[in-house]
Amino acid sequence: MKKTIVLLYLLCLGFASCSEDEDPVIIDPTRPTGELSIARSGSFVDQNNAGSTGMAALGTDTQGKEFLQFNSAFNTALATGTVTVFLSTSDTFMADPAAGNPNLLPLGPVRAAGENFFAIPQGQSTSKYSHVILWCGSVGVPFGNARLQ
């Protein structure tokens, strides 16, 4: 009898633990948690006929992490595959590698048109940066910029 009860218990436990989750929770560190509270934003100005459109916004999520967001209307020429996003102290890309590029903060490449998020590195202040620059490294030209106000 004891063996039957233990076997029945293990069988019930097996069925309970193998049930499917209806909505698994997926945590994506490249996306904000909850709503993004926007501090500054601006519209992209196209450069070099790259077709850059849409808006960029700096904000903080509900966990206090800062992100740069491109809205769903964002678009630029992505055929080169090397469009990199920078926060900048001006609307002009001015690399200064000898000084560690103090006027630029690289955030990463653009992967697709539409909504994009770029996590700001932890401990990095964005207060001195006034612009977002789309830089095409393969041809060495800007594809657009947005002034953050």
Side-chain angles (χ1 to χ4, degrees):
M1 176 74 172
K2 225 179 197 182
K3 287 184 180 180
T4 305
I5 292 174
V6 170
L7 185 60
L8 186 59
Y9 174 75
L10 291 173
L11 186 62
C12 288
L13 185 62
F15 281 121
S17 65
C18 292
S19 65
E20 284 188 37
D21 290 335
E22 290 180 24
D23 292 319
V25 176
I26 299 171
I27 298 172
D28 183 354
T30 63
R31 296 187 61 84
T33 301
E35 292 292 318
L36 198 61
S37 176
I38 304 300
R40 299 184 288 155
S41 65
S43 296
F44 278 103
V45 174
D46 183 44
Q47 292 177 280
N48 295 301
N49 296 314
S52 298
T53 60
M55 291 191 68
L58 268 175
T60 307
D61 71 2
T62 56
Q63 301 295 315
K65 186 165 174 122
E66 195 171 17
F67 287 87
L68 176 67
Q69 174 191 29
F70 292 173
N71 71 354
S72 60
F74 169 75
N75 199 6
T76 194
L78 295 170
T80 64
T82 59
V83 179
T84 303
V85 177
F86 290 87
L87 288 181
S88 175
T89 57
S90 75
D91 64 350
T92 304
F93 183 86
M94 294 180 287
D96 185 5
N101 288 320
N103 299 318
L104 294 171
L105 177 63
L107 297 179
V110 177
R111 304 254 185 246
E115 188 176 59
N116 282 264
F117 291 97
F118 301 89
I120 305 301
Q122 190 170 3
Q124 180 69 50
S125 172
T126 59
S127 62
K128 75 175 185 177
Y129 300 108
S130 58
H131 288 79
V132 177
I133 294 179
L134 301 173
W135 181 257
C136 181
S138 65
V139 291
V141 298
F143 274 10
N145 70 74
R147 182 174 182 196
L148 299 172
Q149 301 182 63

